[in-house]
Amino acid sequence: RLNRAGELRKPSRELLQVIALSSTISSASHGTFDITMQPLWTVWAHAQAESAARDVYADRATRIRSHVHTRATACEKWLPLWRVLVATQQELSELRQRVSLARHGNIVRMRLMYAAELEAVPEKERERLLMVLATMVSFEALDQMRNGYNLSIEACETAWYEMFDRILPKAP
């Protein structure tokens, strides 16, 4: 129940003792042993919900605009957490899995958003196209655009929109 709900209503005395001992061990191990992952997974779930595909059945321009706005907003908001997750993913296999799932989720959303355009692309090329598009709208790309080139979030969205419009084939 703790992992599912993030809380326990009436924990036993024994469980409270285990949690207290775990906290002591976490401090003594300088965080190597850490039982406080629940807040991270709660934040993760919230971030995924904010990134849901919108305007899936709209016209091409609206879909692209909606996608790049949603993606830029999520990347801007969650970039600090993403940096930590990527930097520490080798220390915890579950973090590696979450990073991989987030990257895969971006591709799944694009398959949904651009199904009509992707239909016109042979399967092998389609996967490469999705890989390039996913890289183009990655956290790392937004970080470079914002901090490396000092672009505003609006300028990043405009650049992404223009590139998607150029790269994606027109729907048949």
Side-chain angles (χ1 to χ4, degrees), residues 110-127:
M110 286 190 294
R111 278 194 180 109
L112 179 63
M113 294 296 294
Y114 307 118
E117 289 79 8
L118 293 170
E119 235 177 74
V121 180
E123 188 173 342
K124 189 174 182 177
E125 291 176 38
R126 186 180 317 140
E127 294 309 307

Side-chain angles (χ1 to χ4, degrees), residues 8-19:
L8 285 177
R9 295 213 171 120
K10 294 181 181 179
S12 69
R13 194 179 83 168
E14 293 83 8
L15 178 59
L16 291 175
Q17 289 173 336
V18 167
I19 291 172

